[in-house]
Amino acid sequence: MRIQSLILGVIIIITFFFANCANEDTSSKASTDSENLEQIYLTRGREVAQTTFATLSNNLQKAMQEGGVTNAVKYCNLSASPLVDSLENKYQASIRRTSLKTRNPNNQPSQIELNQLQAFQKKMDSGEKLKPVVQKIKGDQVAFYAPIHVMPLCQKCHGTIGETLLEEDYKVIQQLYPKDKAVGYVSGDLRGMWSITFPK
Ligand code: HEC
């Protein structure tokens, strides 16, 4: 009788042990899958953001050299860019930029974007370096958010009025964007973020 219960005990322990092992296996596989997914979308998001930014700032610099701010203003609108269209088609993604202080009201953040912008700003304020993030959003879509910082060139249109941003240039900007809030930035500031949405 004692031997039988001992054997039973051993069987229970072994079963329990293997059941546990199996559990651990599936959960670690699930987390590897979601880590892989995160990596895939981080890579994709970076590619889209970097390509868009490179083209945008190339066009901006050329246009500024040729005809100053007045001439360059039109190159800042992403929805007027054929490159953005072709990237959106390639990835079936939506590409936008948003900010806590927008120039174009169409770029105002959604509630989810606002939360992320505030999180980025909070990290900045505490001296942390910002990194892109990937997040699942409604309808099984994946969103990529990456910070956009101010560089010296940006100040010519987003800087301090009467200093880095010339008053005559600001008149032109205000005519086109009467609801502009995107001024007063200095180099290094958080200007806004990329918000790129991929279907799953
Ligand atoms: C020639 C002027 C000019 C320069 C230089 C410029 N911008 Fe802008 N920026 C604009 C205009 C105009 C818009 C509004 C575009 C639109 O209609 O969507 C804008 C919009 C933006 C937005 C979208 C959010 C919003 O405010 O509507 C971000 C982010 C942004 N700029 C960042 C930058 C950064 C970073 C740089 C420097 C690399 C830069 N800009 C340089 C004129 C400029």
Side-chain angles (χ1 to χ4, degrees), residues 53 56-57 60 64 68-79 96-99 101-108 148-158 173 176-177 180-182 185 191-194:
F53 178 76
L56 205 74
S57 65
L60 256 182
M64 299 267 275
V69 165
T70 324
N71 182 48
V73 172
K74 53 182 175 291
Y75 292 100
C76 305
N77 188 339
L78 286 195
S79 47
R96 56 187 242 114
R97 290 180 310 173
T98 181
S99 173
K101 294 195 293 177
T102 53
R103 174 150 290 170
N104 185 337
N106 292 341
N107 299 331
Q108 253 168 27
I148 301 175
H149 292 281
V150 175
M151 300 187 298
L153 168 84
C154 320
Q155 299 179 114
K156 289 196 186 293
C157 295
H158 296 292
I173 293 174
L176 291 164
Y177 299 94
D180 179 42
K181 289 184 259 174
Y185 290 94
R191 171 65 188 90
M193 69 175 191
W194 292 99

Side-chain angles (χ1 to χ4, degrees), residues 140-171:
D140 234 11
Q141 300 186 94
V142 180
F144 168 92
Y145 303 120
I148 301 175
H149 292 281
V150 175
M151 300 187 298
L153 168 84
C154 320
Q155 299 179 114
K156 289 196 186 293
C157 295
H158 296 292
T160 309
I161 303 162
E163 291 176 31
T164 42
L165 165 51
L166 300 179
E167 274 178 28
E168 70 230 50
D169 286 342
Y170 194 54
K171 283 201 185 112

